[in-house]
Amino acid sequence: MSSYKHISIQRHLADLEKLADLREGELSTAESQNTDLHVTDERKPCPLCPEEKFKACYSHKLHRHLQNLHWKVSVEFEGYRMCICHLSCRPVKPNLVGDQTLSKMGAHYHCIICSATIVRRTDMIGHINRHVNKGETESRFITVVKESATDVQVLPNYSTPQKTDSYFNPKMKLNRQLIFCALAVLAGERKPIECLDAFGATGIMGLQWAKHLRNSVKVTINDCNENSVTMIKENCHLNKMKVKLNTREEDNDETVGNGEENSDTIEVTKMDANVVMHLRSFDFIHLDPFGTSVNYLDSAFRNVRNLGIVSLTSTDISSLYAKAQHVALRHYGCNIVRTEYYKELAARTVIAAVTRAATRCNKGIEVLLAVALEHFVLVVVRVLRGPTPADDSAKKVRYLIHCQWCEERVFQKEGNMMEENPYQQLPCDCHGSMPGKTAVLLGPLWSGALFNTGFLRRMLLEAVQYGLDEAQPLLKTLVCEAECTTLKHPSTHSPGDENKQEECGVYIRTPNTSAESYLVHGKRKSEEVLRGAAKRQRAEHSAEHPPFYYNIHRHSIKGMNMPKLNKFLYYLSEDGYRVSRTHFDPMGVRTNAPLAQFKTVLMKYSTPTYVGAQAEGPVHFPGEIQVGGECYENPSSPSSGCRIWLEQQHL
């Protein structure tokens, strides 16, 4: 059971009556010291009700009140009674009726095992039974989870963020490995670097940084919850790490452990995330709040150092994946709809919000990595200080024109002048052949590249070096997607041979990519060299990364067997287009081919269902005659017009 018990949890009714003798401000002291006070005949307030609900009265009336309203409806567990509490421990919705409705909504129970508050008595009984079935009734910190050679203690209900102070999600292991690889790459460029885990919870991520990277990083783990800070300190001691405490209320730092601060020391702070990022500068900042990260972007970009990295994990997938479009408009200022490429749309929505926050601080960004999976959207960007990178980044935030009939899409052209017919920018002719309005305007979205090939290759090398098995397959897919190639196994022995050269043991970035490593003999390149590299990169528009992807199932033809995905990629590349698979969709194809050509190749190598056993090849429709190797439509055939019918089935 929990070492801390709320005042509503008592063994006897007389214990509740003794609490009524305490004056205001003494309740918490008596609760922690278990002091007993003498009962007097004065008017006494109820210890579990606010004054506006139950006024102070004499002992006999208070006894009836405690017995009838609190004790009779309590939940019993191992000799303790969890009485109903009417104090303002639980946030309630604003009422429109009056104080009576407010007090009724505020009634709740406190769990004796964890820190949860439950409204209904039946739900409280079920909550306790679940703890018993899981064997979570022995201790507050009963579960020890091991991940990447790091042990952490977690609460019994660690997987439920609404019911616990320290949330730990085992499904986010891949997310933590990707962030670790990004930090390891940055640590290879310059050391030591100061990194911040702004929302520590159990401290698992910061502990992994400090345990594996050692002298290369100075780790700071922050959380505004006191219980989480206590758990972080316990987990640091569990992993034999020293703790350096630094809170806003304390002027002096307190080091827990023996000796001076060294590589095994982790700084733990108890502040609001915005406050700690305003007060200090960092080279690496990771934001992983419960939900959206937009409330912390301005603070993150305010003091992050030049060429530093900001990574953020967004778990508000209901809004980002266009299931709650009004929430996406409220949080990100972006209008989105559900499309076949909704995951990439979510990543570009987050990057657009990051770009606006960075440009407000006179900084630009370079997107290193953007991943959107089932549970989260991860974005990793590098910060480029100065007005010129800020202007270049701001120009890449544009609107998207999306056709709702054929799913064709194109970014709106740059410029302030309005076009007479915006539909002309779309490659399709749905507006002329279909009635009504056929397209919607989405955005503003990030229109630049989502990946940095050289950075991803170095992340893959770090994943191999540290044995991160779950991250390696995804990073291989991301490297192929960044290069827009169909290679299944990119080389990992020499990451970025075409982009880097080695000089005196320090990697130097060549001009065909932007700010990957700007160190020469241990010193940073001058700003003139940075601007020159950026100008040369802007000139290379011919090899621009193809935006978005097409789902091969979405555009398949009814009644036809489409080719295998790998064969289709080969057919499309044979026509001279850049193609690759994408991590956003297992059946997605990222290509610079227009949708019309995509459908043409798909139709060419599809076979009718009734002859699916024959080899894949060009399609011969019923009602066609072949003369000299050419197919012509037979007007007298009842199947004439089959091609037109089949082409329209996917709409």
Side-chain angles (χ1 to χ4, degrees):
M1 288 182 293
S2 173
S3 59
Y4 164 78
K5 295 190 295 293
H6 192 261
I7 60 173
S8 62
I9 303 173
Q10 301 293 336
R11 286 186 177 273
H12 307 285
L13 178 60
D15 297 333
L16 280 178
E17 297 178 357
K18 293 178 182 179
L19 292 176
D21 295 307
L22 300 180
R23 297 290 186 264
E24 184 178 0
E26 301 176 354
L27 197 59
S28 59
T29 305
E31 181 182 355
S32 60
Q33 299 178 356
N34 295 324
T35 57
D36 296 335
L37 298 181
H38 296 286
V39 180
T40 63
D41 292 335
E42 300 177 356
R43 293 178 181 268
K44 305 172 186 177
C46 176
L48 301 180
C49 293
E51 186 178 356
E52 59 270 13
K53 178 176 177 62
F54 185 82
K55 296 182 180 181
C57 61
Y58 290 109
S59 300
H60 65 282
K61 187 175 181 181
L62 178 63
H63 176 81
R64 291 197 304 267
H65 168 79
L66 292 174
Q67 184 176 16
N68 297 330
L69 185 62
H70 298 282
W71 194 257
K72 282 187 176 181
V73 293
S74 62
V75 178
E76 185 176 2
F77 178 74
E78 294 186 357
Y80 286 91
R81 291 289 190 98
M82 290 168 279
C83 303
I84 194 168
C85 176
H86 291 269
L87 300 176
S88 57
C89 310
R90 180 185 179 92
V92 295
K93 298 180 180 179
N95 66 307
L96 300 176
V97 180
D99 294 339
Q100 184 177 0
T101 306
L102 179 61
S103 62
K104 182 178 179 181
M105 292 180 62
H108 56 275
Y109 294 89
H110 290 267
C111 179
I112 192 175
I113 300 173
C114 62
S115 57
T117 56
I118 311 296
V119 176
R120 298 178 181 272
R121 185 175 184 272
T122 55
D123 295 341
M124 188 69 211
I125 296 174
H127 178 81
I128 293 295
N129 291 335
R130 283 191 293 271
H131 279 306
V132 174
N133 295 335
K134 294 180 180 180
E136 299 173 347
T137 59
E138 298 297 329
S139 171
R140 180 177 176 86
F141 306 114
I142 63 161
T143 307
V144 177
V145 179
K146 187 171 185 178
E147 180 180 298
S148 299
T150 304
D151 298 326
V152 290
Q153 295 174 330
V154 295
L155 291 174
N157 53 351
Y158 62 88
S159 60
T160 308
Q162 296 91 345
K163 302 291 180 64
T164 183
D165 295 328
S166 297
Y167 178 51
F168 176 79
N169 189 359
K171 296 181 180 179
M172 300 291 282
K173 180 180 179 180
L174 176 59
N175 176 271
R176 288 186 284 270
Q177 291 186 357
L178 292 175
I179 296 167
F180 174 83
C181 293
L183 178 60
V185 172
L186 182 63
E189 297 177 7
R190 52 185 180 185
K191 60 182 66 172
I193 59 175
E194 297 186 37
C195 49
L196 170 68
D197 183 8
F199 300 89
T202 60
I204 176 67
M205 190 174 296
L207 287 169
Q208 291 176 355
W209 299 348
K211 198 164 187 177
H212 294 288
L213 300 179
R214 295 289 180 177
N215 296 327
S216 301
V217 296
K218 295 181 180 179
V219 180
T220 301
I221 305 178
N222 176 74
D223 204 290
C224 61
N225 187 284
E226 188 171 355
N227 295 332
S228 296
V229 173
T230 303
M231 180 176 292
I232 292 171
K233 292 187 291 185
E234 294 288 339
N235 289 331
C236 288
H237 296 314
L238 182 64
N239 291 273
K240 300 180 181 180
M241 295 283 180
K242 296 180 181 179
V243 180
K244 178 184 177 183
L245 297 180
N246 183 11
T247 58
R248 184 175 54 179
E249 295 80 3
E250 297 176 352
D251 296 332
N252 300 325
D253 296 343
E254 177 187 354
T255 303
V256 179
N258 299 325
E260 299 178 354
E261 181 182 358
N262 53 23
S263 60
D264 294 336
T265 300
I266 295 179
E267 183 176 356
V268 180
T269 59
K270 179 182 173 294
M271 302 183 192
D272 184 86
N274 285 319
V275 174
V276 70
M277 289 186 290
H278 272 287
L279 294 178
R280 296 177 51 186
S281 298
F282 294 95
D283 299 284
F284 185 92
I285 297 176
H286 177 63
L287 303 175
D288 188 8
F290 180 68
T292 180
S293 303
V294 293
N295 298 327
Y296 308 95
L297 293 178
D298 290 329
S299 303
F301 285 98
R302 177 183 176 87
N303 281 336
V304 63
R305 295 190 176 100
N306 190 28
L307 300 180
I309 289 180
V310 175
S311 66
L312 60 148
T313 302
S314 301
T315 54
D316 53 334
I317 57 175
S318 61
S319 60
L320 289 175
Y321 289 174
K323 295 180 181 179
Q325 301 174 13
H326 61 287
V327 180
L329 182 62
R330 183 172 68 246
H331 287 171
Y332 300 94
C334 182
N335 177 41
I336 57 176
V337 296
R338 185 79 170 190
T339 62
E340 65 172 328
Y341 51 94
Y342 66 93
K343 288 187 177 180
E344 184 170 345
L345 204 64
R348 294 184 180 274
T349 300
V350 175
I351 299 175
V354 171
T355 305
R356 290 192 293 268
T359 53
R360 282 194 294 267
C361 299
N362 213 28
K363 298 173 183 176
I365 66 167
E366 176 196 4
V367 181
L368 303 176
L369 170 67
V371 174
L373 298 178
E374 182 181 0
H375 304 288
F376 64 91
V377 177
L378 172 64
V379 172
V380 181
V381 300
R382 190 189 293 275
V383 180
L384 307 176
R385 182 174 296 174
T388 301
D391 294 339
D392 295 339
S393 299
K395 291 178 182 178
K396 294 182 181 179
V397 179
R398 293 150 61 181
Y399 284 91
L400 181 75
I401 303 176
H402 170 81
C403 179
Q404 298 189 95
W405 283 94
C406 66
E407 297 272 358
E408 184 62 285
R409 77 295 306 236
V410 65
F411 280 107
Q412 201 173 39
K413 296 180 180 179
E414 295 184 12
N416 299 326
M417 302 301 294
M418 294 184 59
E419 290 196 7
E420 183 177 354
N421 187 6
Y423 291 100
Q424 294 179 354
Q425 299 185 31
L426 284 170
C428 64
D429 59 346
C430 296
H431 179 65
S433 59
M434 300 294 178
K437 299 179 180 180
T438 59
V440 292
L441 195 65
L442 307 181
L445 304 169
W446 172 259
S447 62
L450 297 179
F451 311 101
N452 184 298
T453 307
F455 192 86
L456 287 173
R457 285 183 175 274
R458 297 173 66 186
M459 285 181 62
L460 180 57
L461 183 66
E462 298 292 344
V464 174
Q465 178 180 351
Y466 289 98
L468 306 180
D469 298 333
E470 293 192 12
Q472 293 180 28
L474 177 59
L475 286 173
K476 291 178 182 178
T477 303
L478 292 176
V479 171
C480 294
E481 187 174 1
E483 296 177 344
C484 206
T485 177
T486 56
L487 294 178
K488 294 183 179 180
H489 303 288
S491 60
T492 61
H493 58 86
S494 178
D497 288 337
E498 70 282 3
N499 293 336
K500 300 183 206 163
Q501 58 186 3
E502 190 171 357
E503 177 179 340
C504 300
V506 181
Y507 283 113
I508 309 300
R509 190 70 185 272
T510 51
N512 61 337
T513 47
S514 59
E516 174 106 9
S517 179
Y518 292 101
L519 299 177
V520 178
H521 300 287
K523 296 182 180 180
R524 194 167 299 170
K525 284 188 176 182
S526 61
E527 293 295 331
E528 290 78 13
V529 178
L530 295 180
R531 297 192 191 99
K535 289 180 180 178
R536 284 188 291 269
Q537 186 193 15
R538 287 196 298 268
E540 299 180 357
H541 288 295
S542 58
E544 187 177 357
H545 190 261
F548 298 111
Y549 56 90
Y550 302 105
N551 185 288
I552 188 173
H553 279 295
R554 191 72 171 260
H555 299 284
S556 62
I557 306 171
K558 186 177 181 180
M560 305 289 289
N561 289 331
M562 62 181 183
K564 298 294 184 180
L565 182 57
N566 291 334
K567 290 186 178 181
F568 177 73
L569 295 177
Y570 172 76
Y571 298 147
L572 206 57
S573 62
E574 284 295 306
D575 289 352
Y577 296 104
R578 301 177 62 192
V579 293
S580 71
R581 303 187 71 164
T582 175
H583 80 281
F584 292 112
D585 189 349
M587 297 304 296
V589 177
R590 183 178 297 278
T591 178
N592 59 348
L595 182 59
Q597 184 64 24
F598 183 91
K599 293 180 179 179
T600 300
V601 176
L602 184 61
M603 182 187 304
K604 179 180 179 181
Y605 293 99
S606 297
T607 57
T609 303
Y610 53 85
V611 290
Q614 71 181 28
E616 294 179 349
V619 180
H620 298 287
F621 292 90
E624 289 184 339
I625 57 177
Q626 187 172 4
V627 180
E630 298 292 337
C631 294
Y632 299 93
E633 185 173 350
N634 185 4
S636 61
S637 173
S639 302
S640 61
C642 179
R643 178 186 297 273
I644 300 176
W645 179 83
L646 287 173
E647 289 179 352
Q648 295 179 349
Q649 291 308 302
H650 69 283
L651 296 178

